[in-house]
Amino acid sequence: MNSYRIPEMARKYMDYDMIRQHTDLPVFPEFRTHLLYAFLSRHSSLSGYSELFSLVTSLVQIGMDTHDLVSITNNAKETKAARSRQLKVLAGDYFSSRFYYLLSHAGQIELIGILSNAICEVNRKKMNLYQRMRQLNLTADDYIKLSVEIRAQLYLAFACLMEESLRHTWPEVLGLFTQCEVLLLEIGRSESVQQYRDSWGYWHILHQASKEEGKHVQAEDPDYAKLRSIWLKYKITPQLYQMLDSCMKQLQDKLQTLESKELAKELQLIGEPFARYLSTPKALEEI
């Protein structure tokens, strides 16, 4: 297929009245999925499976992301909240199960094993991240690095299936795209202080702030006005804009080195939302 239509295909498995009415789902992994489709479409032996492989990978990712939304504790007494929690668990299981079904019916048993191993690696990296968070053994740079690795791991598994000319390019391009995606999300979190917990800004301040400021940031019920002043003092949002700008420049430089100018052009279009975001007056002011 020449046209990219994975989100529409995935909607068939995600768009259920009960889920929509009683709970929220995570954002579709658009950048990584579109990127995977673009690379697979140019692999001579896999191009015929580019839609199927991109679809099942997006469903697995959505399944894992949905499970991540489930609260650790189950103290919800109110019926609506309890139902939402239950549906997140069931929906995550359902989305993940679709990849087994679709791949087995297509006879792609090898990919089931590859993605299953990747899922195990994602969960291992998540446990490592959560453990380091609990131990406060995490820098802001570590947080970004591990967040990118966790988001990219499932898609990275396809490197072994790609032709030689793309096998070494794929991890680097995927990593840069995913880092841009993570930084964009962190900018959104930085602009809403209520979402500060375990964000890049949170870890940056813990390692840069005074002991008193650090205690305030870690408080269970912080004074948000004071928290905002700390955020401004350490220029959390402007630093994230600068990091996104730097990452985007690295990505653009990398795309210029690709042998396939057609692929480079397509990847430029996929990354256009990052460039467009950085060209807004607010972003330019922060940078």
Side-chain angles (χ1 to χ4, degrees), residues 40-251:
L40 291 180
S41 295
R42 281 162 178 76
H43 189 297
S44 57
S45 63
L46 293 181
S47 58
Y49 294 100
S50 56
E51 281 196 339
L52 174 64
F53 289 0
S54 300
L55 171 62
V56 297
T57 307
S58 71
L59 291 175
V60 175
Q61 187 66 60
I62 283 288
M64 292 192 295
D65 291 346
T66 302
H67 281 159
D68 286 342
L69 296 178
V70 179
S71 59
I72 298 175
T73 58
N74 188 18
N75 297 325
K77 302 295 184 182
E78 200 264 319
T79 303
K80 184 176 180 180
R83 180 175 295 168
S84 175
R85 187 180 190 278
Q86 292 167 356
L87 278 173
K88 283 185 175 69
V89 174
L90 294 173
D93 289 345
Y94 173 73
F95 299 147
S96 297
S97 71
R98 292 300 84 191
F99 103 87
Y100 289 104
Y101 175 82
L102 292 169
L103 289 178
S104 62
H105 274 253
Q108 295 295 321
I109 308 303
E110 180 185 4
L111 188 57
I112 293 178
I114 291 173
L115 287 179
S116 296
N117 290 334
I119 292 170
C120 291
E121 186 62 15
V122 170
N123 290 330
R124 187 191 68 79
K125 289 179 181 293
K126 285 181 181 178
M127 290 302 297
N128 179 39
L129 175 60
Y130 298 154
Q131 184 176 27
R132 292 180 64 177
M133 283 179 168
R134 285 197 302 270
Q135 297 172 345
L136 298 181
N137 179 27
L138 192 71
T139 66
D141 288 343
D142 290 336
Y143 169 76
I144 293 294
K145 179 176 180 292
L146 290 171
S147 296
V148 170
E149 289 180 0
I150 288 169
R151 285 175 172 270
Q153 187 65 50
L154 196 64
Y155 295 80
L156 186 62
F158 283 89
C160 65
L161 298 178
M162 292 184 181
E163 61 188 26
E164 190 65 30
S165 62
L166 297 177
R167 190 169 299 164
H168 300 293
T169 302
W170 171 243
E172 188 173 355
V173 173
L174 173 65
L176 288 169
F177 263 95
T178 308
Q179 186 170 335
C180 285
E181 180 184 354
V182 168
L183 290 170
L184 193 60
L185 290 171
E186 289 299 313
I187 289 173
R189 295 182 70 186
S190 75
E191 293 173 339
S192 174
V193 180
Q194 284 77 9
Q195 299 181 47
Y196 79 97
R197 188 74 67 180
D198 289 330
S199 65
W200 179 87
Y202 175 85
W203 296 108
H204 179 75
I205 288 173
L206 282 187
H207 287 274
Q208 300 293 327
S210 66
K211 185 177 294 186
E212 181 182 349
E213 290 170 330
K215 286 182 178 179
H216 185 78
V217 170
Q218 290 179 270
E220 289 295 326
D221 188 21
D223 179 337
Y224 284 108
K226 185 174 181 180
L227 190 62
R228 171 54 68 183
S229 69
I230 295 174
W231 230 245
L232 293 173
K233 175 182 176 181
Y234 289 94
K235 300 180 179 179
I236 299 302
T237 303
Q239 286 192 70
L240 285 167
Y241 272 107
Q242 290 170 2
M243 291 164 65
L244 177 59
D245 183 58
S246 176
C247 187
M248 189 60 190
K249 288 176 180 175
Q250 292 180 58
L251 177 58

